[in-house]
């Protein structure tokens, strides 16, 4: 059903029948509720599809709603689509928070900006959590930057793994 709803939404967006004014109205009502309806989730998705950067501050708090899986997925996807340093700046405080790090790192892993890489490098030393270290290393590997090689090498030499991430696959893929 959700897949069909997304196809219909895409068509409405192409036809100009689903736009920012619709999203503004929906999000205003939905984000104050304890749970977001499918209509609200589709509005969150549309923020990314339409590249509406002014809604970043409304999407970031949604990553804390860990009981709403579809909403989390769509909020992450919308933030990834924006490819924005504003997203990076707003998510930075959550990278080392064990309650939110998984989704935060997932978004920044796919945000291919120099600032995202810099934030990962700085955040690594702000925590001793091995799970978070592994997630940060995984994200840095996907950024394919020479500036990350030293940290990745230090991580491997230290040999402290939680096995949350399959490191062998990560480095040989």
């Amino acid at each position: 059903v959700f897949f069909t709803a997304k196809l219909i939404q895409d068509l409405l967006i192409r036809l100009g029948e689903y736009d920012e004014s619709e999203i503004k109205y929906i999000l205003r009502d939905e984000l104050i509720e304890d749970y977001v309806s499918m209509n609200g989730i589709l509005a969150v998705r549309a923020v990314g599809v339409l590249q509406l950067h002014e809604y970043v501050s409304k999407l970031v708090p949604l990553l804390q709603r860990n009981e709403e899986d579809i909403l989390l997925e769509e909020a992450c996807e919308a933030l990834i689509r924006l490819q924005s340093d504003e997203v990076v700046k707003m998510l930075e405080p959550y990278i080392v928070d064990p309650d939110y790090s998984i989704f935060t790192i997932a978004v920044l892993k796919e945000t291919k900006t120099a600032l995202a890489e810099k934030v990962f490098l700085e955040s690594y030393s702000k925590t001793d959590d091995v799970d978070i270290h592994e997630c940060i290393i995984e994200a840095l590997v996907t950024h394919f930057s020479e500036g990350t090689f030293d940290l990745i090498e230090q991580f491997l030499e230290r040999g402290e793994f939680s096995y949350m991430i399959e490191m062998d696959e990560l480095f040989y893929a």
Side-chain angles (χ1 to χ4, degrees):
V1 173
F2 187 61
F3 177 76
T4 303
K6 290 193 304 187
L7 291 175
I8 292 169
Q9 183 187 50
D10 289 342
L11 178 61
L12 290 171
I13 288 171
R14 275 195 306 278
L15 294 173
E17 298 296 324
Y18 194 107
D19 58 16
E20 184 178 359
S21 62
E22 182 80 13
I23 293 166
K24 182 179 181 179
Y25 170 76
I26 294 169
L27 291 181
R28 182 194 71 214
D29 293 340
E30 289 282 335
L31 296 183
I32 60 172
E33 298 296 327
D34 291 336
Y35 293 95
V36 176
S37 73
M38 196 57 65
N39 196 30
I41 293 170
L42 287 167
V44 166
R45 177 182 181 271
V47 167
V49 172
L50 293 170
Q51 296 287 299
L52 301 174
H53 292 267
E54 60 272 22
Y55 288 91
V56 169
S57 63
K58 294 195 183 302
L59 296 186
V60 167
L62 298 179
L63 299 185
Q64 298 174 3
R65 292 180 139 189
N66 56 11
E67 67 281 348
E68 296 179 82
D69 294 344
I70 297 172
L71 175 63
L72 274 169
E73 288 176 28
E74 292 304 325
C76 285
E77 192 60 38
L79 290 167
I80 290 167
R81 285 179 180 210
L82 296 176
Q83 289 294 307
S84 159
D85 281 343
E86 180 184 4
V87 170
V88 176
K89 290 173 187 170
M90 290 197 72
L91 289 177
E92 182 177 7
Y94 302 105
I95 291 176
V96 295
D97 184 333
D99 293 330
Y100 309 112
S101 63
I102 298 292
F103 297 107
T104 300
I105 293 170
V107 170
L108 297 182
K109 173 183 172 184
E110 300 301 327
T111 304
K112 307 301 186 193
T113 68
L115 183 60
E117 180 183 315
K118 180 179 183 257
V119 164
F120 278 134
L121 291 168
E122 292 171 355
S123 296
Y124 185 89
S125 63
K126 293 179 182 175
T127 183
D128 292 328
D129 187 309
V130 177
D131 288 338
I132 294 174
H133 280 173
E134 284 187 6
C135 290
I136 288 173
I137 292 298
E138 178 189 35
L140 287 171
V141 167
T142 67
H143 276 249
F144 301 113
S145 170
E146 286 185 37
T148 64
F149 291 164
D150 289 340
L151 181 61
I152 293 168
E153 190 175 308
Q154 289 169 17
F155 172 81
L156 292 172
E157 286 174 358
R158 196 167 337 114
E160 296 177 16
F161 308 115
S162 71
Y163 301 100
M164 181 175 158
I165 309 272
E166 186 59 52
M167 289 295 163
D168 289 341
E169 284 183 31
L170 178 65
F171 292 113
Y172 293 113

